[in-house]
Structure formats: C-alpha cells, structure tokens
Amino acid sequence: MTNASSPEYLRQFVEETDWYNEIVLGPIIPGDAWKRLPRPIQSWLRNYIGGTAVYFITGLLWCFYIYYWKRNVYLPKDRDAIPSNKAMFLQIIVTMKAMPLYSGLPTISEYMVESGWTRCYSSIGEVGWLAHAVYLMIYLVLVEFGIYWMHRVLHDIKPLYKWLHAKHHIYNKQNTLSPFAGLAFHPLDGILQAVSHVIALFLVPTHFLSHMALLFCEAVWTANVHDCIHGKIWPIMGAGYHTIHHTTYRHNYGHYTIWMDWMFGTLQDPEEEFIKAK
C-alpha cells in the first residue's frame, strides 16, 4: 500500500470529500458559495443534509410499505399495532434535535482521515478485493463488539440510562415503536453507540468510502429493527429480537447479528417468546 501519511496520498481523501460536497451542496447552495465555507463546516453541512435525507426517505418508504401497502401481510389482525401519527411525529422531533450533533461524528472521522491519523485507504485496488473483504469483516466485528458493550453499559450504569438512554426507551410497545424511532436518541447516546465506527479506523485498514457508507446506513438499519416485524433471517438481529429488547430491557443488545448476545449470555429468541406466550 502507498505511504498513507504522505501529503500526496492524503490529498486523495480531500479530493474525494470535495466530490461528495459537490454532489450534495452544489445543487442546494447557489454558485460556489459553499466552497468559501471553512472545510469542517462544508463536511458538517453535507453530513447533516445527507443524514436528514436518508432518515426521512428510509422512514417514509418503510412506513408506507408496512403500514399501508403491505398492511394486510404484516399486520392483518392487529391494526392497533400501527403507531399513531403523533407518536411518529414526536420521534421525528427527538431525532431532528439530535441530528446536528449526530452529523459531527462523520465530520470528525473525515478530518482524522484527511489528516492521516487513521488506517484508512482510498481505493480498494490498493489492497485487493480479498484483503478488502477481510478488513471489512474485521471492521464489522469490531463495530458489533463495540456497539454491544456500549449499549449494555448504557443499560447497566443507572445514571447513564436515566440521563441518556431512557429517552429512547419510552418507546416500549409495538404501537409506539416505528421506523422513525430508529434515531430517536439523546444525541450523546446516539454518538456513543456509533463511535465504534470511528475507533475501528485506528485498529484495522478501512476503505474510506465503505466507512462513510456504513455510518449513513445506520439510519437504514435502525429504521428496520424498530418496525416490530420479525424477519426470521438467522443470525440477523432483526426487529423481532430488538422488540424484545424494548420490552425486557435486559436482552438483545446486539446490532447487526445475534452473536454478541449469544457469546455474553443476553440472547432471547423471539420464537421462544412466541411459544411461551401460547
């Protein structure tokens, strides 16, 4: 791999983020006015606009799909399980209050990458597809481990739960959980749970675009796991598992998969819960 700390190499990251800014800010801010903004402000503004767009597009499409278009498939017998418009509006309010601070995390990680502090690489061709796949798997394992333990600590340490995480756990029934609840956190809570994405950049070589894409895909993933519909795709930590987390508070802290909960003894299977309920 090329000397990742050389100014010439780091310039690739700057040019890449300039391109992202051009795509997002160019059509919105007249002329080249956005180019006169300080670079961190450009990054933050792009991340804010991008994060807000992903949140609303994902939430609206997902709600339309499960609550209207396919309601007879997913909720044929229990129309009361559909969250009210008021509940979803309040979740949006909480999220939009937090979004300015959420947008700071990718802005900071971008600055660190451009400064050469991380182990990021610009192009998959530098390492090859096989190495990229291995690095990506290690990155995801680190993120999974970090999110599991951060989430668990936010429950186990009572002051953290009271002052941070409890804001998210007011949504504890099927008719209060919705795709819009996915990012409805105290802003510090949301950042703490996502910070593993940034820490991993210092531990494993990571493709910069993949890192940014995964950060923004959190909005898509969290919308999915808050819809209360059990997808039954093993070993994915889908909404069936996460709904149990919102009702028992002591199980299923994991993020993408069930592995961490299985390893550390906090897994509760929705299929077993269904059998008990019968």
Side-chain angles (χ1 to χ4, degrees):
M1 199 160 61
T2 312
N3 181 5
S5 61
S6 70
E8 295 79 12
Y9 184 81
L10 295 176
R11 184 67 196 168
Q12 295 180 68
F13 296 117
V14 174
E15 292 171 354
E16 185 174 340
T17 51
D18 281 343
W19 181 59
Y20 300 153
N21 291 341
E22 186 75 50
I23 292 171
V24 176
L25 301 180
I28 297 172
I29 300 177
D32 290 335
W34 62 270
K35 294 182 179 179
R36 294 191 288 274
L37 296 172
R39 187 166 188 81
I41 301 299
Q42 292 180 31
S43 298
W44 177 87
L45 186 58
R46 182 197 74 230
N47 292 324
Y48 179 79
I49 293 170
T52 301
V54 171
Y55 173 72
F56 277 106
I57 292 170
T58 302
L60 289 169
L61 288 177
W62 206 250
C63 286
F64 174 76
Y65 180 75
I66 61 177
Y67 298 147
Y68 296 97
W69 189 17
K70 295 291 185 178
R71 180 167 58 184
N72 291 330
V73 176
Y74 294 115
L75 300 164
K77 299 177 182 178
D78 194 1
R79 300 304 172 88
D80 292 336
I82 298 175
S84 67
N85 290 335
K86 180 181 179 181
M88 290 189 282
F89 178 73
L90 291 174
Q91 291 161 8
I92 291 170
I93 295 298
V94 172
T95 301
M96 293 316 298
K97 286 181 178 178
M99 190 65 75
L101 288 176
Y102 289 167
S103 304
L105 187 64
T107 302
I108 292 169
S109 75
E110 187 175 307
Y111 175 80
M112 293 189 295
V113 169
E114 291 179 355
S115 299
W117 299 350
T118 70
R119 302 186 68 186
C120 275
Y121 53 92
S122 177
S123 168
I124 294 173
E126 296 172 35
V127 299
W129 281 98
L130 178 59
H132 169 67
V134 172
Y135 292 148
L136 184 60
M137 289 301 297
I138 297 171
Y139 174 95
L140 289 172
V141 169
L142 291 172
V143 168
E144 184 82 8
F145 180 85
I147 291 177
Y148 172 88
W149 278 107
M150 182 57 69
H151 193 180
R152 188 165 172 177
V153 163
L154 285 163
H155 277 266
D156 290 347
I157 299 178
K158 298 309 178 185
L160 291 180
Y161 181 83
K162 179 180 178 180
W163 297 108
L164 297 181
H165 200 51
K167 181 181 284 290
H168 183 66
H169 271 276
I170 62 172
Y171 317 114
N172 56 9
K173 295 181 177 66
Q174 187 168 358
N175 63 358
T176 60
L177 283 164
S178 84
F180 287 113
L183 293 180
F185 293 89
H186 185 289
L188 183 55
D189 181 358
I191 290 170
L192 285 172
Q193 292 201 58
V195 77
S196 298
H197 281 279
V198 178
I199 294 172
L201 300 182
F202 295 89
L203 303 176
V204 61
T206 305
H207 182 225
F208 178 52
L209 176 56
S210 298
H211 160 71
M212 294 296 285
L214 285 166
L215 264 181
F216 279 87
C217 281
E218 290 292 336
V220 180
W221 182 252
T222 56
N224 173 265
V225 298
H226 287 86
D227 65 12
C228 298
I229 296 169
H230 183 30
K232 302 180 182 179
I233 304 174
W234 185 90
I236 301 300
M237 177 66 74
Y241 289 94
H242 198 69
T243 302
I244 289 174
H245 172 75
H246 272 265
T247 54
T248 71
Y249 302 89
R250 305 301 301 169
H251 302 92
N252 303 349
Y253 300 101
H255 194 54
Y256 300 119
T257 74
I258 66 172
W259 294 117
M260 294 299 161
D261 285 283
W262 176 76
M263 287 172 60
F264 297 111
T266 53
L267 182 66
Q268 189 159 327
D269 194 309
E271 296 295 319
E272 294 177 4
E273 283 296 291
F274 178 74
I275 292 169
K276 289 178 185 177
K278 291 179 70 175

